[in-house]
Amino acid sequence: MSDKTVYFFAAGESDGHAGLKDLLGGKGANLAEMARLEMPVPAGFTLSTEVCTQFYNLGQRLPESLKPEVMKALSHLESKMGKKFGDNQNPLLLSVRSGARSSMPGMMDTILNLGLNNMAVVGLAKHSDNPRFAWDSYRRLIQMYADVVMGINTNQFEIEIEDLKADKGYMLDTEMTAIDLEFLSNNFLQLVKLAAGKEFPQDPMEQLWGAIFAVFQSWNTPRAVTYRQLHGIPNHWGTAVNIQAMVFGNMGNDSATGVAFTRNPSTGENRFFGEFLINAQGEDVVAGIRTPEPIEALKVKMPEAYLELEKIYKKLEVHYKDMQDIEFTIEKGRLWMLQTRTGKRTARAALKTASDMIEEGLITKEEALLRIDPKSLDQLLHPTLDPKAKKVLLAKGLPASPGGVSGHLVFTSEQAVLEKEKGHSVILVRIETSPEDIAGMNAAKGILTARGGMTSHAAVVARGMGKCCVAGCSALDINPEIETIKVAGYLLRFGDLVTLDGSTGEVFLGEVKTIAPELSGDFEKIMSLADQVRKMGVRTNADTPKDAQIARQFGAEGIGLCRTEHMFFGPDRIDVMRKMIMAPTVDERKKTLSLLLPMQRQDFYEIFKIMNGYPVTIRLLDPPLHEFVPHGEEEMADFSSRVGMPLSDIRQRVHALHEFNPMLGHRGCRLAITYPEIYQMQAKAIAEAVCQLISEEKMEPGQKVLPEIMIPLVAYEQELKVLRSLVEEQIKWVQSEKGIAFDYKVGTMIELPRAALTANQIAGQADFFSFGTNDLTQTTLGLSRDDAGRFLPQYIEGGIIEIDPFISLDQQGVGALVKTAIDLGRKAKPNLKIGICGEHGGDPASIEFFFKSGMDYISCSPFRVPIARLAAAQSALRSKK
Amino acid sequence: MSDKTVYFFAAGESDGHAGLKDLLGGKGANLAEMARLEMPVPAGFTLSTEVCTQFYNLGQRLPESLKPEVMKALSHLESKMGKKFGDNQNPLLLSVRSGARSSMPGMMDTILNLGLNNMAVVGLAKHSDNPRFAWDSYRRLIQMYADVVMGINTNQFEIEIEDLKADKGYMLDTEMTAIDLEFLSNNFLQLVKLAAGKEFPQDPMEQLWGAIFAVFQSWNTPRAVTYRQLHGIPNHWGTAVNIQAMVFGNMGNDSATGVAFTRNPSTGENRFFGEFLINAQGEDVVAGIRTPEPIEALKVKMPEAYLELEKIYKKLEVHYKDMQDIEFTIEKGRLWMLQTRTGKRTARAALKTASDMIEEGLITKEEALLRIDPKSLDQLLHPTLDPKAKKVLLAKGLPASPGGVSGHLVFTSEQAVLEKEKGHSVILVRIETSPEDIAGMNAAKGILTARGGMTSHAAVVARGMGKCCVAGCSALDINPEIETIKVAGYLLRFGDLVTLDGSTGEVFLGEVKTIAPELSGDFEKIMSLADQVRKMGVRTNADTPKDAQIARQFGAEGIGLCRTEHMFFGPDRIDVMRKMIMAPTVDERKKTLSLLLPMQRQDFYEIFKIMNGYPVTIRLLDPPLHEFVPHGEEEMADFSSRVGMPLSDIRQRVHALHEFNPMLGHRGCRLAITYPEIYQMQAKAIAEAVCQLISEEKMEPGQKVLPEIMIPLVAYEQELKVLRSLVEEQIKWVQSEKGIAFDYKVGTMIELPRAALTANQIAGQADFFSFGTNDLTQTTLGLSRDDAGRFLPQYIEGGIIEIDPFISLDQQGVGALVKTAIDLGRKAKPNLKIGICGEHGGDPASIEFFFKSGMDYISCSPFRVPIARLAAAQSALRSKK
């Protein structure tokens, strides 16, 4: 840990810089950077994240050494601002804000207007010649301090305000006079004493230390911990604390406060985009209590300040080479910059921004690729509302986060979570959201608010989550008490269906048909850049011609996993499949298998055709047979009458097939060791499909159809040896019967620890390996995916594991086996083709691991193909560095 | 492969020796050795096992190069014996016998009397002056050759013999005259022509080559393949073929044939032990058709031959330094040695022989230890009949293989297998057994035959299997057609209960109470020798005070696995356990847990007391909770009325607990992460039991109670860290409450691949590792022990795996993880204590692996403790070499 714990900044003078994010947090580092760039930053200083670590190491105490450093910095701050903290005539007011390495919007505490007390408020009123401003600042300080530092429930404070407004007949807070606010301040001081049993501290230094203490404490509030878990932020990072001179946007109509993005964070359009409020504090904008004006209006209302702001934002974007999210305040016509940071954006905006910035020469192609979060691409692939569908428009709000979703109305975060657990799609409706709503927002399909702008809490969080959101939809008359919404003559209740269009801000009654997403030119451009740099192939997991088609559109270069079992569940097939399973003799079984053969052949034929020119890895039958049989008396009786088989026989066979641990049971290649005729039929169907395609299309042999036959659940070399020759025999037989030759591969899944540990032996029988990381995770961790829901959430909450191992590969455990298998496999067969076809093939962190492990390709579900392409490209780029 | 493929031997001249077993097979190598020792061996030569390999490599053809070598050896043989093969006056007759590296009694073919034909038989009759002998030899040759070489069903041959005997009114085969046998021979020649469509070959050389061919072929008959699988003999070893001059025990009353052991193979008593038949061929003794005389009678009947035999057997035992199983023939008063080999023996005999031979100075203690098959000790631990039990004696036969067993009568091998599968204990009763009965003998608890001696097929095989057997019980009137036995006035049928005493030869009606085995002084002596040399500790898996007691008697040095879950199944406990599981709140759960605490404390107290001075490893609750709840409507309703809990609540909770893959589900330490109060109770019960014992017995702290608390199913270091501190907290609390300090350890099972792969991390939290190789096998192979029965037998039959991985550790897969975990664990913590507590702890091959891997101790079920002690000693001895 460094000796230096306090970093000073003021326009043109700065201890820190943007590179010190780990130490100063994002906000602190960027304030320091703006100060270095001589931008008008109110003077201040940052307590580093190391102080936070110390704070917790000392059992929530501040280190002794901190005091002199803070006093020194404070005195320098005073000299820079020309005011004294604690002065009764012209008091310097301070803000104390958290600032972590990674942004956690609204999650931690902030205290403003520190330095006011019963004396200083009078001085401030005089000096500013604005008693209303002074008293308003004081009542805000008391309320905030009571809440954040003293831990008092501040509901009663709100009630006092509402009562006063009702008494006076005011509609808006701004109607309150200086006298009203003085009255409120005094009331608040009483309330504090009543609730806390002690006075609101009149000593400014006591206020300051209390605020610092509270901000460090807020790092570990439950909601902050939850947020970090959701966003993968380690607990040990800690927060910095920024102490800064206050400037005021609420000093009258020549004052304002605003937030803006250097480009449109929703579309990426290269135009300054933001909002401001005249005569307001910054929190008023973010909290969404008043609906702000668009930034363009500032140009008219305060042209000078706007011009300076324009110069600064442009400079900032060029300096940071990225789109910035800025906060500013105009105090009596003078512009102050309060924050700059990389702007959060939708995937669409990220693509457009990256693409535009390449054109503008601002960043290189590589920088552009590395800048886009692969996971965010998921948003682009979300469905939108069908423009041709009939719709009943209820209202229109702000298009805060794109996508089109339908769901049942819920009014609270808790309801959202509960209904989601029951399997319902829900739309969370709130007058405005607050950080307490995070869990509900996470559970909801879409978020709808009646108040707040494009940068309100709801909008920012929803975009981060990639959720559809319509914000500030003021036409909604929401009664949260009785949980109703009056809108457009309708009365909506809990559970009613509505549809949101996050791209237009429209809200519709009932469910509206959606259509598959169409992708922009920027998407194609970035994807094609990604394809140029990535080293790994990207295939898809697709079982049907339809999925194969979608995946091709998303750029899949072949099929890495075509599960054949799903083909047997069709209504015209399941009975045949069941008869095969129930067959009393091998001959009977062969007879029913011969009925399935033409169906399988047709499936394969179509998939080969769509994948024209790309390899298709077909996994032979994998699940245990009991997955196909009828369950329950009724279904069995149905089946019995349909196929004319005695119910008792069916019951007996179903009973005999029952397994205690199907995951570890009679499935995969084990089925083919006991019932070889099943794989024989499948191999024959594949070979015949290839021959059909070749003969119809008059292709050169081996040119256009690349079947790769994959044997699942191999544990022993000998299993693969036996089944490989069984498959090859069938194929040779078909080839010689049809007089058509073609190339094919036979390989295996590596999805059992034993297969990984003996990969050198297994490689001798395999043309390729494909890691089945789902099952490999289940066996390596001894963890059933279907049953883990009972305890895995507690594991994550309790910090026992950081992330669900079925979402992101457990690199230490499962990853060790993956590496072992690749090393052993390649040692035995240097040209062994190696890929992965588990769910992890669409997870960027896992993809990076697979790349480093030396895999040739990854395969994932069709909608994740773009993510995989970009993540693979990023892995390749990072490895070059 | 060597150039030399044919090895000649004759008394005083020998190409081979006993060290060439791999090449010459057991029989050939020992014949060569006896020849080297100038013992009277009929001259002959051996075709090496490499010829067998070539035979199969050539697609079942003999190599061309073999012919000249055989002709050369044959001519040398002729000169040694002074007779010519194919001579019509004084023909040399040959035997052709298989002889594999490892004995496979009765499994492969033998052909005798080769060289006889229509001409030679007449010459032999004249020259031997014994037409009966000549014609008997000829009809035997035709019958045997027809069966073995020509593949003719020889039932009709037997019918001819029986018809002739009936016509003439004979009771015994020996009553048949030369004329009768000539008549039979001619009939047999006709039968051959009829069945095969060609003549019995008259050319002796054609006979010889046909016989050699047939013996090589017999290596791969289904019954030979099955035998090899049962005994772990690799298929690629192949058999040698021994071609040897015939000598005749059936040349009249001055001739005889016999088999003998240099010591008693059943008890180990150091006295010559065997049987012979006057005027018979060797097959008559082994087949058990005539009941032979004890070897002592030979001393009286043929004193000279006996004296020579005595000299030879003593020389052989000293030469081989082991008990020998010999075959001899006396031809017209002259002794010929036909075979010597290490004698198979019961475990009791093995112990006594080894112990005696140390005393005799014949072998060293180390040799003695290495000579005993650890698995065979299992026999000694089998129960015997309670002498005080009431018994109804049915009959008395020969005590062929020890032990006392009861079971239901079955009459065929198939019945035995079927009934065993249904879960019944069965006694297989046969007039005499043959190699076709192997599967049934394996399935039966005991074997009972009406004919045959102590060296009959039934007796030899049963001893090898460690199965109880009563042989030659001629009082039984068995009718195999209608499946009845008349004996002592009873009529027994299929399914009737009988009891065998294999140590006395008695057969009893119904079931007789058995008592636990008592161990001989030889056992104690050998075990104590084993304890002196072994390096690994041997503990036991015991869940109850009773098991702990038995294990102590068998020499267990502590408990390696005390499963706590079985303690909850008692009738007084299960309802409490269920109430705990059904508890709607944590407080309710804690309340019911507090009822279980005193019960657990008492269990631990007793076990600690029994294990006085030895460590006790207690595994905290492991199985999923649904194993304890009532299943089925009736049981649930019962429980509901007993404890007054609404049935619907019970149903709902039971339903909620259901898991798809319980093996990979919510169990082990995962239970304690979600319900910490369970492990808290268990830790408290352990600590309180220790304190109770210490305070009662006034022991020094840490001296006499060594609790080792084991956390199951750990996958992550963090799990162990959290639960270790939970356990330690409870123990410290009890220690301070009671004012008693004691030492304890907290460790973990390594039973998941991830735990093995991250053992370096986990070791940081563990005082010891105990490998749970059962679950580690299930997860590493992805193989559910409960479900594998559907396909594992086919895996073994099909040669995909050699041995059930739940019986003997899969060293390549699971073993690799074991080694990795030990390496990583010891690297992180050099003094880490490491053991194993899976079923493999009682398997000798696995024990050798564990020793080589560096484990400190093994733990197995109480009855396997002696096996483990000996196997551990053998591992240590072998590692010294």
Side-chain angles (χ1 to χ4, degrees), chain A residues 37 39 261-263 270-272 299 306-324 326 337 340 357 360 362:
Chain A
L37 295 172
M39 292 176 179
F261 292 86
T262 56
R263 303 186 185 213
N270 188 2
R271 231 173 81 183
F272 196 38
K299 202 171 185 173
Y306 182 83
L307 272 179
E308 194 183 354
L309 181 62
E310 193 173 39
K311 235 188 296 176
I312 287 172
Y313 94 72
K314 285 186 173 162
K315 189 171 170 187
L316 280 172
E317 198 181 72
V318 172
H319 181 72
Y320 281 101
K321 294 182 173 185
D322 202 354
M323 189 257 271
Q324 295 295 298
I326 59 181
M337 296 302 296
T340 189
M357 285 184 176
E360 294 158 21
L362 203 57

Side-chain angles (χ1 to χ4, degrees), chain A residues 655-667 669-671 673-675 713 715-716 718-719 722 752-755 757-758 761 778-788 790-791 794-795 798-801 803 805 810-814 816-817 820, chain B residues 655-667 669-671 673-675 713 715-716 718-719 722 752-755 757-758 761 778-788 790-791 794-795 798-801 803 805 810-814 816-817 820:
Chain A
H655 181 76
L657 285 172
H658 171 263
E659 291 186 308
F660 295 99
N661 292 292
M663 167 64 211
L664 309 175
H666 194 184
R667 50 170 288 232
C669 69
R670 296 163 189 173
L671 288 173
I673 298 290
T674 48
Y675 308 114
L713 212 73
Y716 295 95
Q718 199 62 22
E719 292 172 319
V722 166
L752 295 176
R754 192 184 197 281
L757 294 162
T758 60
Q761 297 168 17
Q778 295 200 80
T779 47
T780 305
L781 309 193
L783 193 64
S784 161
R785 194 175 183 168
D786 298 324
D787 301 309
R790 281 197 187 76
F791 49 92
Q794 265 179 271
Y795 268 59
I800 290 175
I801 56 176
I803 186 163
D810 161 40
Q811 298 187 11
Q812 293 192 303
V814 181
L817 285 177
T820 297
Chain B
H655 180 76
L657 285 171
H658 171 265
E659 290 186 309
F660 296 98
N661 292 291
M663 167 63 211
L664 309 176
H666 194 184
R667 50 170 289 234
C669 68
R670 296 163 190 173
L671 288 174
I673 298 289
T674 48
Y675 308 114
L713 212 74
Y716 296 94
Q718 198 62 21
E719 291 171 321
V722 166
L752 296 176
R754 192 185 197 279
L757 293 162
T758 60
Q761 297 169 17
Q778 296 200 79
T779 46
T780 306
L781 309 193
L783 194 63
S784 162
R785 194 176 183 166
D786 298 324
D787 301 310
R790 281 196 186 77
F791 50 92
Q794 265 179 271
Y795 268 60
I800 291 175
I801 56 176
I803 185 163
D810 161 40
Q811 298 186 11
Q812 293 193 301
V814 182
L817 285 178
T820 298

Side-chain angles (χ1 to χ4, degrees), chain B residues 319-587:
Chain B
H319 181 72
Y320 281 101
K321 294 185 172 183
D322 203 352
M323 188 258 271
Q324 294 296 296
D325 167 0
I326 60 181
E327 290 181 20
F328 61 91
T329 281
I330 299 165
E331 185 183 285
K332 293 181 178 288
R334 183 170 176 197
L335 176 72
W336 292 97
M337 296 301 297
L338 301 184
Q339 171 148 309
T340 190
R341 57 183 170 182
T342 302
K344 291 201 175 180
R345 66 206 78 177
T346 62
R348 186 178 153 207
L351 287 171
K352 180 158 174 56
T353 304
S355 169
D356 286 353
M357 285 185 176
I358 298 171
E359 296 298 325
E360 294 160 21
L362 202 57
I363 56 176
T364 64
K365 289 171 184 176
E366 287 74 14
E367 282 168 330
L369 282 173
L370 286 169
R371 189 161 287 177
I372 301 159
D373 177 6
K375 277 187 196 161
S376 74
L377 296 181
D378 212 20
Q379 288 174 35
L380 295 179
L381 313 173
H382 284 161
T384 51
L385 299 186
D386 183 353
K388 287 178 224 147
K390 275 194 192 163
K391 302 181 194 89
V392 178
L393 184 68
L394 292 174
K396 197 168 175 191
L398 299 171
S401 183
V405 292
S406 300
H408 301 273
L409 281 178
V410 296
F411 288 82
T412 66
S413 179
E414 292 71 33
Q415 287 171 355
V417 172
L418 275 170
E419 293 299 306
K420 161 98 190 289
E421 276 175 6
K422 292 185 199 156
H424 299 153
S425 296
V426 298
I427 305 291
L428 175 63
V429 62
R430 301 286 288 159
I431 296 177
E432 51 190 307
T433 64
S434 69
E436 278 79 19
D437 292 319
I438 290 286
M441 295 173 78
N442 198 35
K445 276 223 144 180
I447 296 136
L448 173 61
T449 67
R451 286 200 234 156
M454 288 294 282
T455 50
S456 65
H457 178 265
V460 170
V461 172
R463 278 201 294 274
M465 288 179 170
K467 296 241 176 219
C468 171
C469 176
V470 172
C473 186
S474 50
L476 303 179
D477 181 0
I478 302 174
N479 185 333
E481 297 281 303
I482 56 167
E483 301 191 340
T484 58
I485 306 174
K486 284 192 205 153
V487 59
Y490 292 91
L491 183 70
L492 304 177
R493 296 178 185 281
F494 173 88
D496 287 346
L497 268 174
V498 297
T499 298
L500 306 184
D501 187 334
S503 310
T504 64
E506 290 166 310
V507 183
F508 302 100
L509 186 68
E511 189 165 0
V512 178
K513 212 183 136 196
T514 55
I515 50 168
E518 260 189 79
L519 298 168
S520 71
D522 298 315
F523 176 84
E524 292 302 339
K525 185 168 162 188
I526 295 292
M527 282 297 115
S528 105
L529 284 181
D531 290 347
Q532 285 164 32
V533 300
R534 72 181 154 86
K535 303 275 199 298
M536 281 193 295
V538 175
R539 299 195 192 176
T540 192
N541 303 344
D543 308 339
T544 62
K546 192 184 146 209
D547 281 355
Q549 195 70 60
I550 293 174
R552 281 288 302 124
Q553 284 162 7
F554 287 155
E557 304 160 316
I559 292 182
L561 175 63
C562 175
R563 303 174 196 87
T564 52
E565 49 268 25
H566 294 158
M567 299 174 180
F568 297 122
F569 280 108
D572 53 330
R573 301 175 177 195
I574 186 69
D575 275 357
V576 187
M577 184 68 182
R578 286 169 174 178
K579 272 161 85 176
M580 188 278 285
I581 293 168
M582 308 272 179
T585 65
V586 175
D587 279 348

Side-chain angles (χ1 to χ4, degrees), chain A residues 1-2 4-7 21-25 46-63 65-66 97-101 104 108 211-221 224 228 233-242:
Chain A
M1 112 148 242
S2 6
K4 188 171 179 63
T5 51
V6 173
Y7 290 74
K21 256 188 199 168
D22 292 0
L23 213 53
L24 306 182
T46 303
L47 313 189
S48 80
T49 54
E50 292 180 344
V51 182
C52 186
T53 308
Q54 267 191 301
F55 174 79
Y56 283 103
N57 285 347
L58 293 169
Q60 306 209 11
R61 278 196 310 108
L62 290 167
S65 59
L66 189 64
R97 295 173 205 260
S98 65
R101 209 192 280 196
M104 294 168 59
M108 285 180 300
I212 291 172
F213 192 91
V215 170
F216 279 133
Q217 269 196 325
S218 71
W219 173 251
N220 262 1
T221 57
R228 287 202 291 274
I233 301 170
N235 287 326
H236 67 81
W237 277 6
T239 184
V241 177
N242 299 295

Side-chain angles (χ1 to χ4, degrees), chain B residues 608 613-618 683 686-691 693-694 699-709 724 727-728 731-732 734-736 739-747 767-768 833:
Chain B
F608 286 142
Y614 285 117
V616 176
T617 307
I618 296 169
I686 292 167
E688 290 184 353
V690 175
C691 288
L693 204 62
I694 290 175
M699 294 189 246
E700 288 302 304
Q703 191 189 342
K704 296 268 185 171
V705 204
L706 294 171
E708 300 181 342
I709 296 169
R724 183 189 181 102
V727 163
E728 286 186 330
I731 293 180
K732 274 178 200 149
V734 172
Q735 287 182 329
S736 90
I740 295 175
F742 57 86
D743 287 336
Y744 62 92
K745 289 188 162 71
V746 181
D767 301 325
F768 63 90
K833 197 166 165 185

